[in-house]
Amino acid sequence: MAGGRCSSQLTALLAAWVAAATATAGPDQAALPAEQSRVQPMTASNWTLVMEGEWMLKFYAPWCPSCQQTDSEWEAFAKNGEILQISVGKVDVIQEPGLSGRFFVTTLPAFFHAKDGIFRRYRGPGIFEDLQNYILEKKWQSVEPLTGWKSPASLTMSGMAGLFSISGKIWHLHNYFTVTLGIPAWCSYIFFVVATLVFGLFMGLVLVVISECFYVPFPRHLSEHSEQNQRSEEAHRAGQLQDAEDDKDDSNEEENKDSLVDDEEEKEDLGDEDEAEEEEEEDNLAAGVDEDRSEANDQGPPGEDSATQEELEPEETEEAISEQPCPADTEVVEDSLRQRKSQHADKGL
């Protein structure tokens, strides 16, 4: 009995000792701090830290498998940040959509290098050795920097950050309606459409009020005077245009008159030339008739030679008679001259 009691007491003592040992060891083990991450989370409030010194940034999403594969490599790279004299940060695009819009992140994961406010996109693999060589060998110097409107510090990208922030808030609100409250998705869409229209009308009203506050209307007499001046200027311009048109019409009439006078003078000159030609033709015809008549008179037989002429053969007398001009031919010539004169007179008219 005594031995059994001793054994039970020893067992109880051993159990109490083990419990005390575990109780004393537990707080010591819990007091040991976990390994602290060297990667600094970046938000919209502290992202300006990257404008000074040298930084490497990683944009990721918790649901992205590729981002999860590079987490260990990124942590190892951050541990050697003091040796490389570089700071390492990360940005959750779900929690910070404004920063993703400021850097215009379209693929995940995305890496950026910053040196004194000058940003460059790192397109290599997210492996520790490649990242370390990128810094030690200064390969970033051969990469074209993001300058101008593409720079995250520019005004354009600041506006882009605002748009991404608004879109992120709308997305969170939509998830709250559909997931937390259980509202159908189409009801959420209708809500956002109505909210957009109301917001647009409200902003239009604000702009109208602002314009009315800053717009200074002219006094009534000044406005009437300006209207009178405007009307007088318009009347003066209309008068100038009418005068110009009248001048053009007058010049066209004068040109037409000059052209008509020139045409009449040309016709008169042509008529004079035709009359001169007709007179020449009449003179030539009259001269020809006179010559024919003189020749006929010259060939007439005198009294002394009557005997010799009687002896001429009848053929010679017939030829002489045929050579004499016939009065019918002269009448035809005169008729033709008269017709030509009447034709030239008609042309002159």
Side-chain angles (χ1 to χ4, degrees):
M1 295 290 294
R5 290 178 181 175
C6 289
S7 62
S8 62
Q9 289 178 353
L10 289 174
T11 303
L13 289 172
L14 288 173
W17 181 78
V18 170
T22 54
T24 55
D28 293 336
Q29 291 179 353
L32 291 175
E35 188 177 0
Q36 187 177 2
S37 176
R38 299 294 182 88
V39 180
Q40 184 174 355
M42 307 303 295
T43 62
S45 59
N46 66 349
W47 82 273
T48 54
L49 295 174
V50 301
M51 300 296 291
E52 297 178 357
E54 191 171 5
W55 284 76
M56 284 292 291
L57 296 178
K58 173 187 174 182
F59 288 82
Y60 73 99
W63 49 262
C64 177
S66 300
C67 301
Q68 296 173 1
Q69 293 175 0
T70 59
D71 286 342
S72 60
E73 300 288 340
W74 196 252
E75 290 290 342
F77 177 66
K79 289 179 182 179
N80 294 327
E82 294 181 357
I83 300 173
L84 299 173
Q85 296 181 355
I86 189 172
S87 301
V88 181
K90 63 180 179 178
V91 180
D92 186 356
V93 297
I94 302 299
Q95 299 297 327
E96 300 295 334
L99 284 180
S100 64
R102 185 179 292 275
F103 285 81
F104 202 71
V105 176
T106 56
T107 58
L108 293 175
F111 303 95
F112 287 88
H113 174 267
K115 177 70 173 177
D116 296 330
I118 299 175
F119 298 87
R120 292 175 174 85
R121 181 74 179 265
Y122 172 72
R123 300 185 181 276
I127 303 174
F128 169 71
E129 294 179 356
D130 293 334
L131 293 169
Q132 187 175 3
N133 294 331
Y134 185 78
I135 300 302
L136 291 175
E137 297 176 5
K138 295 184 178 181
K139 294 181 180 180
W140 50 268
Q141 293 180 351
S142 60
V143 180
E144 184 180 0
L146 301 176
T147 57
W149 67 272
K150 296 181 181 180
S151 176
S154 65
L155 183 62
T156 305
M157 301 313 291
S158 298
M160 188 68 70
L163 291 176
F164 273 65
S165 298
I166 294 172
S167 65
K169 292 178 181 178
I170 293 173
W171 182 75
H172 285 299
L173 186 60
H174 175 71
N175 286 337
Y176 176 76
F177 288 158
T178 56
V179 177
T180 305
L181 300 179
I183 298 174
W186 63 270
C187 293
S188 178
Y189 295 149
I190 291 174
F191 170 77
F192 284 115
V193 169
V194 173
T196 302
L197 293 175
V198 172
F199 180 75
L201 293 174
F202 176 74
M203 291 302 296
L205 179 62
V206 170
L207 292 175
V208 170
V209 172
I210 292 173
S211 63
E212 289 292 335
C213 292
F214 288 96
Y215 174 71
V216 179
F218 290 102
R220 185 173 182 181
H221 65 278
L222 292 177
S223 61
E224 292 177 355
H225 183 66
S226 61
E227 290 178 358
Q228 290 178 358
N229 292 332
Q230 187 175 2
R231 290 175 182 175
S232 62
E233 289 179 358
E234 291 178 355
H236 181 65
R237 290 177 182 175
Q240 289 180 350
L241 293 173
Q242 188 65 31
D243 294 337
E245 291 178 357
D246 294 338
D247 294 336
K248 288 182 180 179
D249 294 336
D250 295 337
S251 61
N252 293 329
E253 290 178 358
E254 291 178 357
E255 290 178 357
N256 293 329
K257 289 179 180 179
D258 294 336
S259 61
L260 291 173
V261 171
D262 295 335
D263 293 337
E264 291 177 356
E265 290 179 354
E266 289 178 357
K267 289 179 180 180
E268 291 177 357
D269 295 336
L270 292 173
D272 295 337
E273 291 178 358
D274 294 336
E275 290 178 357
E277 291 178 356
E278 290 176 359
E279 290 178 356
E280 289 179 359
E281 290 178 357
E282 290 177 356
D283 294 336
N284 293 328
L285 291 172
V289 171
D290 294 336
E291 288 178 358
D292 293 335
R293 288 178 180 176
S294 61
E295 288 178 359
N297 292 327
D298 292 336
Q299 289 178 2
E304 296 176 356
D305 298 329
S306 60
T308 57
Q309 242 171 2
E310 289 177 357
E311 296 176 357
L312 292 173
E313 296 178 357
E315 293 179 359
E316 292 180 358
T317 56
E318 290 177 0
E319 289 177 358
I321 291 167
S322 62
E323 288 178 358
Q324 290 181 358
C326 183
D329 294 335
T330 57
E331 291 179 357
V332 172
V333 172
E334 289 178 357
D335 292 335
S336 63
L337 290 174
R338 290 174 184 173
Q339 290 177 358
R340 288 181 182 178
K341 287 182 180 179
S342 62
Q343 289 177 359
H344 286 301
D346 294 336
K347 289 181 179 178
L349 294 174

